Amino acid sequence: MENIEWGKAPLDASALRLRIQQVYEEMNKVVVGQRYMINRLLIGLFTNGHILLEGVPGLAKTLTINTLAKVLHLDFQRIQFTPDLLPADLIGTMIYNQKTAEFEVKKGPIFANLILADEVNRSPAKVQSALLESMQEKQVTIGETTFQLDKPFLVLATQNPVEQEGTYPLPEAQLDRFMMKVFVSYPDKESELEVMRRMSNLTFDSNVNAVLTKSEIFAVRDAINAVKISDSLERYIIELVFATRRPKEYGLNEEAAFIQFGVSPRASINMNRAAKAIAFFEGRDYVLPEDIKEIAYDVLNHRIILNYEAEAEGVTTKDIIDGILKKVAITK
């Protein structure tokens, strides 16, 4: 790939899409077969939404996020969440300076653009609560002082399945702060073969080039925000959301027996933003119904709270979303 010249002139939509394609190309130098995960991470970055990745260890979640930070030339911090982690280890604390006889602020690793909260569900509730303010308010409070976090600020959290030993289920309030929950699956045979060949080569070069500047990231955000969505599709999003809350009104009688709580208004906001991002990536300045359907699973799956009957019957949130997408129609 040619080295990119950083110009002062603002880029148009086509040029910004070319930059995004170059991001994929750089990522592919290191990460194999995870285009879906990379796509969702970019959607989060360009729409100001945090992402939760769930999958068993060894699926390149950490490698992907680390590489993305290098490609985007953003400040990056990796925080390993453990049972003995304290809130101060995350946001920072006040320390006493003996020379000045005053307390000074020592900022924690949360002060970066991209935060990798690795195995976030291995930390206790106090640490997860400390993460909550930074995710929602884009600020942290140390002592009596509140500090604004740098922009862009994005939390990319990884989570091992809850049934694994030593994990704590994330509270619903914190789950709702994540724009999307993305399930990371095993690679196919050809992808894993390529991974094996690369990583078994001791001379493998994992260096990547920086592709986007901060100003261009914000330019992509503006371009996505300008994507048009019709009134009928906006109402379609609302109908999908209300179907999780009042399933029987939509003929979802079987699904209603398994839903304990429907999704919050954040779901409709995030579905709107994510659908616009997909449309922009596809080269359009307008949203199609397929964009909404494509993103619905990632936006809704962690917000629908199922009851014990669902667990006993083996019903998943994917089953519920399948039913909703089949029954809820687009009205003009």
Side-chain angles (χ1 to χ4, degrees):
M1 187 197 309
E2 297 180 359
N3 291 329
I4 295 171
E5 297 290 339
W6 306 126
K8 293 184 179 180
L11 299 177
D12 60 17
S14 298
L16 290 172
R17 291 188 185 98
L18 177 60
R19 288 280 197 266
I20 294 172
Q21 183 57 41
Q22 290 171 331
V23 170
Y24 283 115
E25 292 173 8
E26 287 298 308
M27 294 291 294
N28 288 338
K29 291 181 180 179
V30 178
V31 181
V32 181
Q34 294 291 2
R35 187 178 178 88
Y36 178 83
M37 175 170 42
I38 295 170
N39 175 269
R40 293 319 191 240
L41 293 177
L42 289 177
I43 289 175
L45 174 71
F46 294 136
T47 58
N48 202 26
H50 309 293
I51 306 295
L52 178 62
L53 301 174
E54 181 171 305
V56 298
L59 297 182
K61 300 186 296 294
T62 303
L63 175 64
T64 301
I65 297 172
N66 192 1
T67 305
L68 182 63
K70 294 178 182 177
V71 173
L72 300 175
H73 199 59
L74 295 175
D75 293 332
F76 170 75
Q77 285 286 350
R78 176 184 179 273
I79 306 170
Q80 182 65 51
F81 280 64
T82 57
D84 60 348
L85 193 71
L86 298 174
D89 299 326
L90 180 69
I91 64 173
T93 188
M94 302 290 291
I95 59 173
Y96 185 73
N97 188 327
Q98 292 182 338
K99 292 183 179 180
T100 62
E102 295 179 349
F103 282 94
E104 298 177 350
V105 173
K106 181 182 179 182
K107 294 182 178 180
I110 199 71
F111 288 88
N113 299 122
L114 282 185
I115 302 297
L116 169 55
D118 210 0
E119 295 186 308
V120 67
N121 61 330
R122 291 195 181 277
S123 65
K126 285 185 178 180
V127 177
Q128 294 177 2
S129 297
L131 186 63
L132 201 61
E133 180 187 10
S134 63
M135 290 175 62
Q136 183 63 23
E137 307 297 335
K138 306 297 192 299
Q139 65 182 29
V140 297
T141 302
I142 304 174
E144 297 180 353
T145 306
T146 298
F147 298 90
Q148 297 295 322
L149 296 170
D150 293 337
K151 296 179 180 180
F153 175 76
L154 194 66
V155 173
L156 306 173
T158 69
Q159 173 177 278
N160 291 326
V162 173
E163 58 267 26
Q164 291 200 359
E165 184 178 355
T167 59
Y168 301 79
L170 294 179
E172 285 80 3
Q174 185 167 349
L175 279 173
D176 199 34
R177 260 67 174 186
F178 287 100
M179 179 184 196
M180 293 183 285
K181 179 181 179 181
V182 180
F183 292 99
V184 184
S185 59
Y186 289 107
D188 57 36
K189 290 181 180 179
E190 291 304 315
S191 296
E192 188 153 348
L193 178 62
E194 180 61 25
V195 170
M196 180 184 69
R197 286 171 174 168
R198 288 188 186 185
M199 296 307 172
S200 61
N201 182 357
L202 298 180
T203 61
F204 173 68
D205 184 6
S206 61
N207 291 325
V208 291
N209 297 316
V211 170
L212 281 175
T213 64
K214 285 186 180 181
S215 62
E216 289 171 340
I217 290 173
F218 292 123
V220 173
R221 286 187 177 181
D222 291 340
I224 289 173
N225 194 50
V227 171
K228 301 177 183 65
I229 180 169
S230 66
D231 290 344
S232 62
L233 291 184
E234 286 181 330
R235 292 187 179 278
Y236 178 54
I237 291 174
I238 298 301
E239 296 297 332
L240 292 175
V241 166
F242 270 72
T244 70
R245 304 172 189 167
R246 305 172 185 174
K248 290 185 178 180
E249 294 182 11
Y250 294 83
L252 297 162
N253 296 319
E254 292 183 7
E255 289 82 359
F258 302 115
I259 299 176
Q260 185 173 3
F261 296 108
V263 303
S264 76
R266 287 194 183 97
S268 55
I269 296 168
N270 289 328
M271 208 179 307
N272 185 305
R273 290 176 178 173
K276 287 182 177 180
I278 289 178
F280 180 79
F281 289 176
E282 293 294 324
R284 288 179 274 106
D285 64 353
Y286 56 91
V287 174
L288 294 175
E290 289 75 19
D291 301 328
I292 297 171
K293 293 177 181 179
E294 178 182 339
I295 208 66
Y297 292 93
D298 296 315
V299 174
L300 298 178
N301 66 52
H302 58 300
R303 292 185 165 93
I304 298 174
I305 308 301
L306 303 181
N307 55 28
Y308 291 111
E309 286 81 0
E311 185 176 353
E313 296 289 335
V315 175
T316 65
T317 53
K318 182 181 183 302
D319 298 325
I320 303 297
I321 298 168
D322 283 339
I324 290 172
L325 291 176
K326 288 178 181 177
K327 288 289 182 69
V328 177
I330 301 173
T331 56
K332 295 184 179 180

